[in-house]
Amino acid sequence: MPSIPSAISTAPSSTEPSSTAQITAAQINPPQRLLMGPGPINADPRVLRAMSAQLVGQYDPAMTAYMNETMALYRGVFATANDATVLIDGTSRAGIEAALVSLIEPGDRVLVPIFGRFGHLLREIAERCGAEVHVIEREWGTVFTPDEIEAAILEVKPTLLAVVHGDTSTTVAQPLDEIGAICARHGVLLYTDVTASLGGNLFEMDAWGIDVATAGLQKCLGGPSGSAPISLSAAAVERISARASVEAGIRVVGDAVSAHPIRSNYFDLAMILDYWGPKRLNHHTEATTMMFGARECARIILEEGLAEGIERHRLHGSAMATGLKALGLELFGDQNYKMNNVVGVEIPAGINGDAARAAMLNDYGIEIGTSFGPLHGRVWRIGTMGYNARRDTVLLTLAALEQVLRRGGVSVTAGSGAGAALDFYDTESSGSAAATGPTV
């Protein structure tokens, strides 16, 4: 394992005054890590290869063809026919902000069901957009029933329901298959953040009646953080288009000018959609390398098969959970709604959670996750997602964690975790592609 290089070094320059330091930096050479936390994860090598491709101009025919291909690929990933399916340049949070700032006018009433950290994030962003935000809350590790959400809609009468699908802070997923119909009955648009769930858990945008969904690459999609896929229904596009206002420097006669424009230029979806659409509005310069990576993420998912990829995440996530239970660890949260790709476990009594995570990293090169808010110091989060949803990563992580627990004084039967996972694999269809993992 390579040593971690010093990021920069300074030395006095012989040609400049002594008060000025000459700064040198070593070539980037990160240590080898197996990222088995709640994300980010190790990027699929095919994605990294795609991102090494040379740049082309933003309106080069090759570039616009790649953009069109990316849109089509993500329609498949989101399970939608939405024409407005594009990328937002930025992390998954950029996608959330673009969706909410473009959908919300100051004073709009927004309902946010909160069952983990990222529901609080939706609330904060909506408040910063000037919304009148109403929340309902559940204990972390649980989810809402459709009746609870409908009752809140009837009471609040929002224009928008904003809800997280899979919240990695609690490792559970909110069922959405009935929520779209509820929102449609009451004239409410439905936005959901699928950053943690898309590609590894069932998500059917059109069948469930979702109006807007945003994601990120760094979890089940198997890429690096930095690009946020987004898809919008016709109803959502109509609301956004009603506030369209083209910036002055690129405006031509006949372009829209709104008295109440979207309150962000960079995240203005009306202009972003025109950049990706036939108008090719010169709104920004696309992050070409990130688009190459995002396109490859979607291509890989659809090449494997969306259903097959979800099954792979279920298989290896279940094997991990089985092994953790065999180590004597208690799983956190309502397991009826556990996400396929991440599991929470209660930290055993007498174990310093952060010290154990440091031992996993320093002794074995494996990263597992801590938790936030009320779960910090109480729960570890262990992921099996994207390129890392594989048999070998599951077994290696369980074997390493067993040793860390034993050295911490926890009574553990030797080989129990990995052994239980192997037994689980034996009961499944071990000859399937899902039993091993992605082929690169």
Side-chain angles (χ1 to χ4, degrees):
M1 182 179 299
S3 61
I4 302 174
S6 174
I8 59 173
S9 61
T10 60
S13 170
S14 60
T15 59
E16 295 183 7
S18 59
S19 61
T20 302
Q22 183 180 9
I23 299 176
T24 60
Q27 187 178 39
I28 290 176
N29 184 28
Q32 292 296 314
R33 301 293 194 221
L34 176 58
L35 303 182
M36 298 296 286
I41 52 84
N42 300 88
D44 191 301
R46 291 168 290 183
V47 173
L48 297 179
R49 288 196 289 268
M51 294 179 70
S52 70
Q54 185 55 272
L55 305 184
V56 293
Q58 65 173 329
Y59 295 118
D60 188 297
M63 179 65 175
T64 54
Y66 288 140
M67 293 172 71
N68 291 339
E69 291 168 2
T70 301
M71 295 169 71
L73 288 165
Y74 275 99
R75 291 185 192 109
V77 175
F78 280 110
T80 184
N82 291 336
D83 184 63
T85 302
V86 300
L87 302 177
I88 305 299
D89 290 345
T91 67
S92 53
R93 190 170 300 205
I96 298 170
E97 293 231 16
L100 294 184
V101 77
S102 298
L103 290 168
I104 295 171
E105 288 194 67
D108 280 355
R109 196 170 292 178
V110 175
L111 175 63
V112 182
I114 297 175
F115 60 100
R117 174 198 168 180
F118 294 102
H120 287 288
L121 174 63
L122 299 188
R123 174 187 192 170
E124 176 163 330
I125 293 173
E127 287 175 340
R128 291 186 181 215
C129 294
E132 177 190 321
V133 180
H134 297 254
V135 303
I136 52 176
E137 296 194 51
R138 286 294 303 263
E139 180 183 358
W140 287 27
T142 66
V143 298
F144 294 91
T145 66
D147 287 345
E148 287 174 320
I149 292 177
E150 184 164 26
I153 287 174
L154 289 170
E155 179 181 349
V156 173
K157 296 179 174 56
T159 60
L160 177 70
L161 175 70
V163 61
V164 175
H165 182 214
D167 195 317
T168 51
S169 70
T170 66
T171 72
V172 299
Q174 171 64 49
L176 296 178
D177 54 315
E178 298 181 45
I179 307 304
I182 291 171
C183 288
R185 281 200 301 271
H186 301 293
V188 178
L189 286 183
L190 173 55
Y191 161 77
T192 187
D193 169 18
V194 296
T195 299
S197 55
L198 188 66
N201 302 264
L202 183 64
F203 179 74
E204 297 184 339
M205 185 161 189
D206 287 357
W208 293 353
I210 310 295
D211 287 296
V212 183
T214 63
L217 306 184
Q218 72 274 17
K219 299 183 188 285
C220 300
L221 300 187
S225 178
S227 184
I230 183 172
S231 186
L232 304 100
S233 71
V237 172
E238 182 180 1
R239 178 174 294 187
I240 291 165
S241 297
R243 301 174 64 200
S245 193
V246 177
E247 65 183 79
I250 55 176
R251 190 184 302 153
V252 298
V253 175
D255 278 345
V257 180
S258 174
H260 305 284
I262 292 166
R263 291 197 165 193
S264 169
N265 179 290
Y266 186 71
F267 292 137
D268 184 330
L269 280 174
M271 287 197 286
I272 291 171
L273 292 177
D274 277 345
Y275 176 75
W276 281 80
K279 290 183 181 179
R280 299 296 177 193
L281 182 76
N282 191 12
H283 173 256
H284 65 282
T285 300
E286 179 58 26
T288 307
T289 297
M290 282 307 311
M291 189 202 71
F292 289 166
R295 177 187 177 278
E296 185 67 2
C297 287
R299 190 197 67 79
I300 289 169
I301 286 174
L302 297 182
E303 179 181 71
E304 179 180 14
L306 192 56
E308 289 77 7
I310 292 169
E311 168 58 18
R312 175 168 57 85
H313 282 82
R314 183 208 64 80
L315 175 70
H316 298 300
S318 297
M320 178 67 81
T322 299
L324 292 169
K325 286 191 290 184
L327 290 173
L329 300 178
E330 180 182 351
L331 304 188
F332 173 78
D334 188 339
Q335 295 303 295
N336 293 317
Y337 301 101
K338 176 192 171 296
M339 298 167 66
N340 289 334
N341 53 301
V342 62
V343 60
V345 293
E346 301 275 358
I347 299 171
I351 291 287
N352 181 310
D354 289 340
R357 289 178 57 247
M360 288 286 288
L361 188 69
N362 296 328
D363 293 340
Y364 299 97
I366 300 173
E367 179 180 281
I368 63 174
T370 185
S371 293
F372 306 110
L375 302 183
H376 182 69
R378 175 185 160 190
V379 169
W380 289 319
R381 296 175 299 149
I382 301 175
T384 48
M385 62 183 85
Y387 180 68
N388 289 351
R390 307 193 313 265
R391 180 182 177 120
D392 62 309
T393 61
V394 170
L395 298 176
L396 181 60
T397 301
L398 289 169
L401 183 57
E402 176 194 319
Q403 295 304 315
V404 170
L405 292 173
R406 293 180 69 187
R407 292 180 67 84
V410 178
S411 178
V412 180
T413 301
S416 57
L422 284 167
D423 289 343
F424 174 83
Y425 283 127
D426 286 344
T427 66
E428 298 282 322
S429 53
S430 59
S432 70
T436 54
T439 302
V440 297

